[in-house]
Amino acid sequence: DVSIATKDSYRDIAIGRGKMKPDRVFVVRSGPRLDRMLIGPGDDALKCGRKYLVGYVGVIGKQEGLDLLVGAVSHLVGQEGRKDAHFAIIGDGPELPAIKELAKAKGVSDYFTFHGRVTDEVFLKVLNTSDACVNSDRYCAMNDKSTMNKILEYMALAKPIVQFDLTEGRRSAGGASFYARPDNVADFALKIDTLLGDAELRRDM
């Protein structure tokens, strides 16, 4: 009789593939508990002597595209000459060892701190220290149609975002994010560079 979807993309599926009447499909979104997402002071020691910190939170599997992020950091450092940003990675997953090796192979391992799974206290300290946050999810049908918790967590802490241009990522973040061409590491790097270079833009986003 009624279908509940967690996002507009799933609502579209219920109406199109499921043949539900549009007035019988309701979107009920989820989000982080705001009483836990507390904006507070950061810790500049997490920047490892650099001017900026870029934060990432999430699972580290193939579809999360951390290899693309490593490629973007390599481009940022090697091609754009930006060597004043450090990248804090929170999370664990089957691809973590490979991502660490890739960062070493590309000569950018010194620009990363892999924190692994952390307590809420460390999670908040890292994100509150971050000048910007990233979501490197590569394009696939699931990622394109899904809302990622990290995007809503970043926004709850008032952080500007760089992500690839996927349908639900844009629907969720709107003007709080820059959108790079899907899976394009050079464009992703340029978006990070632009964001770090403009304090007013970061504030407004």
Side-chain angles (χ1 to χ4, degrees), residues 66-78:
L66 269 294
D67 58 318
L68 300 176
L69 178 60
V70 171
V73 173
S74 177
H75 186 93
L76 192 67
V77 173

Side-chain angles (χ1 to χ4, degrees), residues 4 25 57 141 172 180 192 194 200 202-203:
I4 296 174
V25 185
V57 174
S172 297
I192 295 173
T194 299
E200 290 187 2
R202 294 197 304 275
R203 180 202 65 202

Side-chain angles (χ1 to χ4, degrees), residues 46-68:
L46 294 168
K47 297 184 178 184
C48 296
R50 297 192 168 95
K51 184 175 181 180
Y52 302 107
L53 186 70
V54 178
Y56 171 88
V57 174
V59 174
I60 302 178
K62 285 189 181 297
Q63 69 191 19
E64 282 77 26
L66 269 294
D67 58 318
L68 300 176

